[in-house]
Amino acid sequence: MLGVKLKELRETNGMVQRQIAALLEVDTAFISKVEKEEKQISKNHISRLAKLFKVSESELNSFWVADKILALIEDEKKENIERILEIVSVSKKIKIK
Amino acid sequence: MLGVKLKELRETNGMVQRQIAALLEVDTAFISKVEKEEKQISKNHISRLAKLFKVSESELNSFWVADKILALIEDEKKENIERILEIVSVSKKIKIK
DNA sequence: CTATTTTTGACCAAATAAGTACAAGTAAAT
DNA sequence: ATTTACTTGTACTTATTTGGTCAAAAATAG
């Protein structure tokens, strides 16, 4: 989710992975894996990326957390996921669209 | 969530922590912390607990995963949690009650 | 062709999470 | 009142995960 989004943002801004890597002070190989959703960036990179691409930091952050959740539930059956999200939303008193 | 549930199950079955600890082959102190939600049991203990208490394994498992998710989102603002769960449910094509 | 960008796989270090050790506390039973 | 069974707090160890590197291979562009 976030990886693909970051790749889109990078490309619409006409940048190459090396430039993103330089900004975050990480290896380009790592950026490649992030964009292919093989690895996740650490949370503290998000604000820099949001500033770079001029997008909402909390929106990027929401995708970051969503990715973590998706990793947690990836082996669960659909019916169980429904139940899990119900437990979470009830516990947090939240209604989901 | 799960810790409290396990404590209730243990008590309605008239058992003490030491017995649960013996079943899972862990320290009794650890069980105490699990019930106080200070630690989480590892996922592979769940089937043994489900059998012991004769409850649905997938229901216990759902609470286990929900606990993980709750830990992930505990610092997020309510509005962001709504957004995050929306992203997850859309991505998994799920409708939440 | 060759130079640059992206991808891959094996590996590593630091952080986090699961679990332990043990002392000390509580409550009940004898 | 003291033994016994059970629970909790703090601090420690161990296992697992995760964020990241390095070198080399594969695409892509010029």
Side-chain angles (χ1 to χ4, degrees):
Chain A
M1 304 244 56
L2 182 60
V4 170
K5 209 163 201 75
L6 290 175
K7 181 172 191 177
E8 286 167 12
L9 284 168
R10 175 173 67 79
E11 287 173 343
T12 49
N13 284 270
M15 299 180 79
V16 297
Q17 290 179 354
R18 180 173 37 75
Q19 295 172 282
I20 312 296
L23 174 84
L24 302 183
E25 296 170 283
V26 298
D27 199 292
T28 61
F30 180 58
I31 300 300
S32 168
K33 284 165 199 166
V34 168
E35 291 186 352
K36 301 201 95 196
E37 315 258 317
E38 285 162 21
K39 302 270 165 151
Q40 258 194 283
I41 52 172
S42 81
K43 208 170 184 178
N44 54 58
H45 288 322
I46 286 181
S47 65
R48 292 212 263 191
L49 292 168
K51 275 171 201 149
L52 171 67
F53 296 131
K54 296 186 182 67
V55 296
S56 151
E57 177 172 345
S58 82
E59 178 73 357
L60 283 193
N61 182 65
S62 292
F63 274 90
W64 186 90
V65 179
D67 271 349
K68 288 269 173 195
I69 294 176
L70 287 166
L72 261 176
I73 65 180
E74 70 178 347
D75 295 331
E76 303 292 334
K77 295 190 203 109
K78 194 165 183 176
E79 50 192 294
N80 288 345
I81 297 179
E82 285 175 12
R83 179 72 182 115
I84 290 163
L85 295 188
E86 190 194 353
I87 294 169
V88 171
S89 58
V90 167
S91 159
K92 284 287 185 177
K93 290 168 191 136
I94 274 178
K95 52 250 157 252
I96 304 161
K97 294 140 204 168
Chain B
M1 302 242 59
L2 181 59
V4 170
K5 212 166 199 66
L6 290 175
K7 180 171 193 177
E8 286 166 9
L9 285 167
R10 176 175 65 79
E11 287 173 346
T12 48
N13 283 270
M15 297 181 80
V16 296
Q17 291 180 350
R18 180 172 39 76
Q19 294 173 285
I20 312 297
L23 175 84
L24 302 183
E25 296 172 281
V26 298
D27 200 289
T28 60
F30 181 59
I31 299 300
S32 168
K33 285 158 202 163
V34 168
E35 291 187 352
K36 299 198 91 192
E37 315 258 316
E38 285 163 20
K39 303 268 168 155
Q40 258 194 286
I41 51 172
S42 80
K43 208 171 183 177
N44 54 56
H45 288 322
I46 285 179
S47 66
R48 307 244 282 263
L49 292 169
K51 273 172 203 149
L52 172 66
F53 296 131
K54 295 186 181 67
V55 296
S56 151
E57 177 172 346
S58 80
E59 177 73 358
L60 283 193
N61 182 65
S62 293
F63 274 91
W64 187 90
V65 179
D67 272 347
K68 288 266 173 199
I69 293 176
L70 288 167
L72 260 176
I73 64 180
E74 68 177 348
D75 295 331
E76 302 292 333
K77 294 187 203 114
K78 195 165 183 175
E79 50 192 295
N80 288 345
I81 296 178
E82 285 174 11
R83 179 73 182 113
I84 291 163
L85 295 187
E86 191 194 352
I87 294 169
V88 171
S89 58
V90 167
S91 159
K92 284 289 185 177
K93 289 167 191 136
I94 274 179
K95 49 261 147 252
I96 304 162
K97 294 141 206 167

